[in-house]
Amino acid sequence: MTATSAPSTRAGTRSSTRRSARTPQQRRNFFWGLVFTSPAIIGLLWFTAYPVLVSLYYSFTSATMMKPAEWLGLGNYESLGSDSAFWNSLGNTLYYIVVSVPLGIAVALFLAILLNLNVRGQSIYRVIFYLPAIVPLVASAVVWLYVFNPQYGVLNTVLGWFGITGPGWLASPEWAMPALIIFSTWGAGNLMIILLAGLQDVPQDLHDQAKVDGAGVFRRFRHVSLPFLSPHLLFALVTGLIAGFQFFTPVFVLTNGTGGPAGKTLVSGLYLYQNAFQFFKVGYASAIAWVLFIIVGLGTALVFRLVGRRVYYGGA
């Protein structure tokens, strides 16, 4: 007993000695540091920590915007199990993620490879490919409403040049979700910049050695560039998964907040919004948010479990 308490006593003594060893100037710096960072700390606690904790409490209540909250226990979570609209929104979200995330990574990687080539006017091409990523989402969605117009839209007009009759896109239950995926791919510029930076970090001497050994372009990409890009691809996969569950603004604008036609574009973020701000079921919407949070956490852990061990960090 004496042997175990002695080290802790010495540690406490050292800690109190360090605190008392602070000079008056250091204490003043610490005080003014807290003063100047207090707006950010208070904002973090009030606008982030407090809403998160309140939403957790509301998820166990019947809270609405019209009446006080009443404790329901797990009632909201049990209702979610038999809510067909919730499961439909979850299925649509998974469909969107499974198709759009790999497609977005492939398009961004292809553009990054093109921009990594030593061609004239490279900076102009970079601006052109990156430009869609900095346009506000609402403005882009309004433009794409005209692009997807079945009668006068640019997309069906171009398909008509090749003798293809374009679908109804946002008016068609079969093509509404593919239309949203095409729209998401339009904004691959941010990921393209990240992958381009990864490509430019690949040591050139490794490429030269592989070339001397007779490796072609594809084998050099497969065995030299791709391992160095693996951390960037893992980042793209994880952030794409999280962003997929947060997908809201484009589908809200393109479908006028309905999730139509026939509920084919009713994703989880839109269903949560409908419950909170159209049906005013704040407690039920909070339960949806926490279920989505748990799914995102488990999905991210699964990605790290399956893919994380295959990532090459350059010998680090």
Side-chain angles (χ1 to χ4, degrees), residues 145-169:
L145 272 176
Y146 293 98
V147 173
F148 286 131
N149 187 291
Q151 294 181 334
Y152 312 107
V154 176
L155 200 52
N156 279 1
T157 301
V158 173
L159 291 176
W161 294 346
F162 300 96
I164 301 173
T165 302
W169 296 113

Side-chain angles (χ1 to χ4, degrees), residues 7 13 20 135 161 190 229 278 291 299:
T13 305
S20 61
V135 177
W161 294 346
N190 285 325
L229 275 180
Q278 292 181 359
V291 169

Side-chain angles (χ1 to χ4, degrees), residues 55-73:
S55 74
L56 180 60
Y57 167 70
Y58 280 165
S59 71
F60 296 103
T61 69
S62 62
T64 68
M65 292 187 180
M66 308 298 176
K67 62 179 184 180
E70 295 180 5
W71 184 260
L72 293 178

